[in-house]
Amino acid sequence: MDKGQVAEVLVNIATLLELKGENPFKTRAYQNAARTIETLSEPLDKVVAEARLGDIKGIGEALQQKITELVTTGRLQYYEDLKAATPPGLVAMLDIPGLGSKKIKALHDELGIDTVEKLEQACKDGRIAGLKGFGEKTQTNILEGIERRRSYASRHLISEALPQADSMLEALRSHPDVVRCSAAGSLRRHREVIGDIDLLASSKQPAEVIEYFTSQPGIIKVLAKGETKASVLLEGGIQADLRVVSDAEYSSALLYFTGSKEHNIVMRQRAIDLGLRLNEYGLFHSKEETRDPKLLAKCRTEEEIFEKLGLHYIPPEMREDMGEIALAEKGPLPRLIEWTDLKGSLHNHSTWSDGHQCPEEIAKAMRELGLAYWGITDHSKSSFQANGLDATRVRQQLKEIAAINATLAKEGTDFRLLTGTEVDILKDGSLDFPDDLLAELDVVIASIHSSFNQTEAETTQRLIGAAQNPYVHILGHLTGRLLLDREPYKVDQRAVIDACAETGTWIELNAHPKRFDLDWRLWPYAKSKGVKCVINCDAHRFEHAGFLRLGAGIARKGWLTREDVVNTLPLKALLNELGRKRAKAR
Ligand code: DGT
Ligand code: CA
Ligand code: CA
Ligand code: ZN
């Protein structure tokens, strides 16, 4: 077992112990041990083999035994027993927001509730409100939480759907009977969350393509299968639909099935206004609904359809009926940002807080990816659960990064690490670090990580206050939402954007696929106010560098161009921009 797997078992043990009602010190010991193991700088099996676990702070004798058993045998009897003794329904309840181990234990002890279904019924019967420590409001919240869970369950993050769609498209492309194929639907529009994967192919032998598609690996179940379309359920629970059309129909089918539905309605009406008909089978010279090939306005590509409708090409990401059609009527659309325009990420973590690699390893990896810079912005001290840094450790980290950069310079490479912090915006709106410390750092991101339950006015004021600090460059993940997991906290986003415009503060587009925060729907407003965007990975591991690509897709949905995004700048120009707000304050 590797570090990550061992840490996961330890965290699970802590949770199970909490459900059992064990004392908090014992559960805390497991959580801390998990963190320690995960961020260990040497291989765990080596430490175990050399019997040096005891040298590690916070790993007592009982934990040493358990970790050794896990590493050497791959399982742990204590964990297996604990799992067997806990009703699985209790563990499932942990997923409901506002329900911690303590409350779940109380529900179990008092009402015998051991499944989510029983809990839902008890809420509906009004039996929860009367329990000590619960009340009407909690009961409503639990019920809403259960309902939200259910609606989340049928939706998926784009990061989960994309790789599956890519491998199916690759398979289709390799089939000799497939002429053209593409993703369509919300996936092609790069929505942050999608219902199902839509695929489109053109072929003279649709039945054979369908047969081939439904026999692909990774399919758990064929839900429907006809001559020209099929629906399958993929491992991981996402549904995929494939439609096969003739190549003559391909362009209009692609346009139609890419949507969105609202965009399609406006396009269809536009065709009617021009004396034409647009449907999934083609663009027709007709005043009535038709599929008659003789009336077809032959368009091989989507571009040609747009052109015949008097429109410039609209990229799929923009097809959301947000005014894009009116814009495409006036002239060519702005050239949207491409992910390859990005030169680095300014918000990232290292082992100094809750990241998984140290700055030196990160520098090496990001330089190899061909990036120009990478900000190390670990958490500040109030984020103790993320091992946040105090001022002393920040200054130690500054020295370490200066040394790494000196070595990079000596080696003759232009890549640089940027120093920084993701400083907590505290409950009262003050920042976790004083200005003089912030002034020493290349990049300062201010984020909210606590007190999510304040009023909209309070949270908005907290963020505006942070924007007004002359040393804060960027507001991080503005609403704190976790897609399909946690609702955003209440905040007047436009008021915060206005404050950023006034103070010259940038706003992050956090490219973590669970965040994509600020939401794409608000970027046109931010842009209209002159607020710049920074597409940040919020990386905690090497692999998260790939979020740049996803983030750029979301920025495209927000109509952003390269000029709107600060981290498309080369290093020197970026450093210049980073100095701007501070110079203004002086
Ligand atoms: P999803 O799957 O919920 O994330 O969203 P979409 O947009 O992928 O929707 P889906 O899978 O139901 O349908 C795929 C595309 O088909 C959609 O983007 C637009 C088109 N479409 C579906 N239903 C209608 C409709 O009733 N009218 C029009 N005009 N187009 C539709
Ligand atoms: Ca879809
Ligand atoms: Ca669909
Ligand atoms: Zn962060």
Side-chain angles (χ1 to χ4, degrees):
M1 265 197 178
D2 69 18
K3 287 177 205 167
Q5 291 165 316
V6 170
E8 194 181 322
V9 171
L10 296 178
V11 168
N12 290 348
I13 290 176
T15 307
L16 293 171
L17 289 175
E18 276 176 352
L19 286 177
K20 248 180 84 179
E22 277 283 357
N23 88 55
F25 292 102
K26 190 165 170 186
T27 57
R28 185 70 61 79
Y30 279 93
Q31 282 156 351
N32 290 344
R35 277 227 55 76
T36 310
I37 294 296
E38 214 174 9
T39 54
L40 206 62
S41 58
E42 51 181 331
L44 184 58
D45 49 357
K46 184 161 171 267
V47 178
V48 168
E50 295 169 8
R52 285 189 288 110
L53 274 176
D55 301 347
I56 302 170
K57 201 175 133 226
I59 310 277
E61 212 162 295
L63 268 162
Q64 287 172 42
Q65 273 176 18
K66 293 189 175 89
I67 295 168
T68 306
E69 186 178 332
L70 269 173
V71 171
T72 50
T73 70
R75 73 193 291 281
L76 175 61
Q77 195 54 46
Y78 175 73
Y79 178 47
E80 300 302 323
D81 294 345
L82 207 53
K83 271 199 291 192
T86 315
L90 297 191
V91 180
M93 277 188 242
L94 281 169
D95 259 2
I96 300 164
L99 268 191
S101 327
K102 246 202 214 136
K103 282 213 163 73
I104 294 172
K105 185 170 158 23
L107 289 166
H108 188 217
D109 294 350
E110 305 285 322
L111 299 175
I113 290 172
D114 56 5
T115 65
V116 175
E117 289 71 27
K118 285 185 195 166
L119 177 61
E120 184 175 17
Q121 196 53 53
C123 286
K124 286 182 176 160
D125 300 345
R127 284 185 286 134
I128 304 296
L131 273 187
K132 192 162 159 277
F134 283 79
E136 282 293 341
K137 184 138 190 278
T138 312
Q139 177 170 286
T140 315
N141 285 344
I142 293 175
L143 200 54
E144 278 175 14
I146 293 174
E147 280 157 8
R148 204 173 287 142
R149 284 287 115 180
R150 199 166 292 139
S151 68
Y152 286 168
S154 59
R155 316 279 301 157
H156 311 275
L157 298 177
I158 189 170
S159 53
E160 278 158 32
L162 262 180
Q164 302 210 42
D166 281 345
S167 69
M168 286 185 286
L169 282 170
E170 200 176 319
L172 284 171
R173 246 174 241 125
S174 73
H175 193 278
D177 288 325
V178 170
V179 184
R180 290 187 276 178
C181 65
S182 170
S186 50
L187 187 77
R188 183 163 180 244
R189 300 199 312 279
H190 210 283
R191 286 291 285 246
E192 66 279 29
V193 165
I194 67 143
D196 66 357
I197 297 173
D198 298 286
L199 302 172
L200 182 72
S202 65
S203 173
K204 284 187 177 144
Q205 312 287 346
E208 278 173 36
V209 175
I210 292 290
E211 194 56 49
Y212 168 74
F213 173 72
T214 51
S215 63
Q216 286 300 305
I219 292 174
I220 330 180
K221 201 172 161 198
V222 177
L223 302 168
K225 186 168 145 187
E227 291 283 299
T228 59
K229 52 185 180 185
S231 290
V232 298
L233 189 65
L234 303 172
E235 274 165 16
I238 306 184
Q239 186 183 321
D241 296 344
L242 170 69
R243 286 181 189 76
V244 187
V245 300
S246 72
D247 202 58
E249 288 169 340
Y250 183 80
S251 59
S252 54
L254 184 59
L255 191 72
Y256 181 88
F257 290 112
T258 297
S260 69
K261 190 174 161 185
E262 292 73 18
H263 170 95
N264 283 351
I265 290 169
V266 181
M267 290 285 283
R268 204 178 112 86
Q269 188 56 47
R270 187 176 176 87
I272 292 173
D273 293 346
L274 293 169
L276 302 168
R277 282 281 163 169
L278 177 66
N279 57 38
E280 60 181 287
Y281 308 104
L283 179 65
F284 297 92
H285 293 287
S286 165
K287 299 230 181 299
E288 277 103 53
E289 205 43 51
T290 180
R291 284 183 65 169
D292 186 350
K294 289 197 291 295
L295 300 173
L296 198 61
K298 289 200 182 94
C299 297
R300 215 189 106 73
T301 61
E302 284 185 332
E303 279 86 345
E304 289 171 41
I305 300 177
F306 280 114
E307 201 187 313
K308 289 227 161 67
L309 294 175
L311 297 170
H312 290 269
Y313 180 73
I314 303 175
E317 295 92 334
M318 286 178 75
R319 300 181 198 166
E320 297 284 359
D321 189 27
M322 303 274 278
E324 70 278 7
I325 295 172
L327 201 66
E329 190 177 46
K330 285 194 212 115
L333 299 188
R335 181 190 167 276
L336 300 180
I337 184 169
E338 309 266 348
W339 77 275
T340 46
D341 292 333
L342 294 166
K343 305 276 195 299
S345 158
L346 300 187
H347 171 185
N348 310 287
H349 300 271
S350 76
T351 44
W352 283 78
S353 66
D354 58 350
H356 289 254
Q357 283 95 20
C358 67
E360 194 178 350
E361 296 171 287
I362 294 170
K364 194 160 167 270
M366 297 311 138
R367 175 181 146 191
E368 267 164 30
L369 285 182
L371 296 172
Y373 44 79
W374 195 258
I376 303 283
T377 54
D378 279 307
H379 289 284
S380 62
K381 59 185 188 296
S382 290
S383 279
F384 51 84
Q385 74 292 343
N387 193 26
L389 282 62
D390 59 13
T392 312
R393 287 179 68 219
V394 171
R395 292 203 167 93
Q396 285 169 357
Q397 191 189 47
L398 279 177
K399 281 193 193 136
E400 178 174 312
I401 292 177
I404 296 168
N405 279 337
T407 308
L408 288 167
K410 234 192 311 183
E411 288 168 1
T413 52
D414 294 334
F415 177 89
R416 290 294 177 273
L417 288 181
L418 299 175
T419 64
T421 180
E422 180 183 16
V423 64
D424 268 359
I425 307 171
L426 303 178
K427 191 176 178 190
D428 65 0
S430 65
L431 297 181
D432 204 12
F433 286 140
D435 286 359
D436 64 333
L437 179 59
L438 299 182
E440 289 179 45
L441 306 170
D442 294 332
V443 184
V444 175
I445 299 152
S447 308
I448 289 181
H449 289 115
S450 61
S451 305
F452 293 164
N453 289 327
Q454 287 181 316
T455 62
E456 177 174 314
E458 284 169 329
T459 305
T460 305
Q461 198 44 52
R462 259 168 107 185
L463 286 160
I464 290 176
Q468 283 164 345
N469 182 302
Y471 299 99
V472 170
H473 294 109
I474 308 169
L475 295 186
H477 47 68
L478 207 67
T479 74
R481 75 174 179 190
L482 295 177
L483 292 166
L484 303 183
D485 195 354
R486 185 173 81 200
E487 293 296 294
Y489 37 71
K490 291 188 210 77
V491 53
D492 181 347
Q493 298 185 69
R494 282 171 198 262
V496 178
I497 291 169
D498 292 346
C500 288
E502 230 159 83
T503 55
T505 309
W506 306 333
I507 296 180
E508 168 176 274
L509 196 175
N510 189 300
H512 191 293
K514 275 187 102 72
R515 293 193 184 268
F516 293 140
D517 187 9
L518 188 69
D519 190 275
W520 57 269
R521 296 160 188 84
L522 278 150
W523 280 110
Y525 178 74
K527 179 175 169 158
S528 76
K529 292 278 164 172
V531 174
K532 296 282 182 201
C533 169
V534 191
I535 300 176
N536 281 327
C537 295
D538 198 351
H540 287 72
R541 317 171 169 272
F542 290 155
E543 303 88 271
H544 295 172
F547 294 165
L548 284 179
R549 187 172 195 159
L550 297 171
I554 297 293
R556 290 168 65 84
K557 290 197 81 58
W559 297 19
L560 298 184
T561 66
R562 189 167 69 184
E563 290 69 34
D564 302 319
V565 179
V566 183
N567 50 325
T568 58
L569 293 172
L571 179 63
K572 231 180 117 201
L574 174 75
L575 291 173
N576 244 334
E577 290 301 310
L578 284 165
R580 203 182 270 270
K581 184 178 173 186
R582 291 174 179 185
K584 207 170 89 182
R586 254 185 244 116

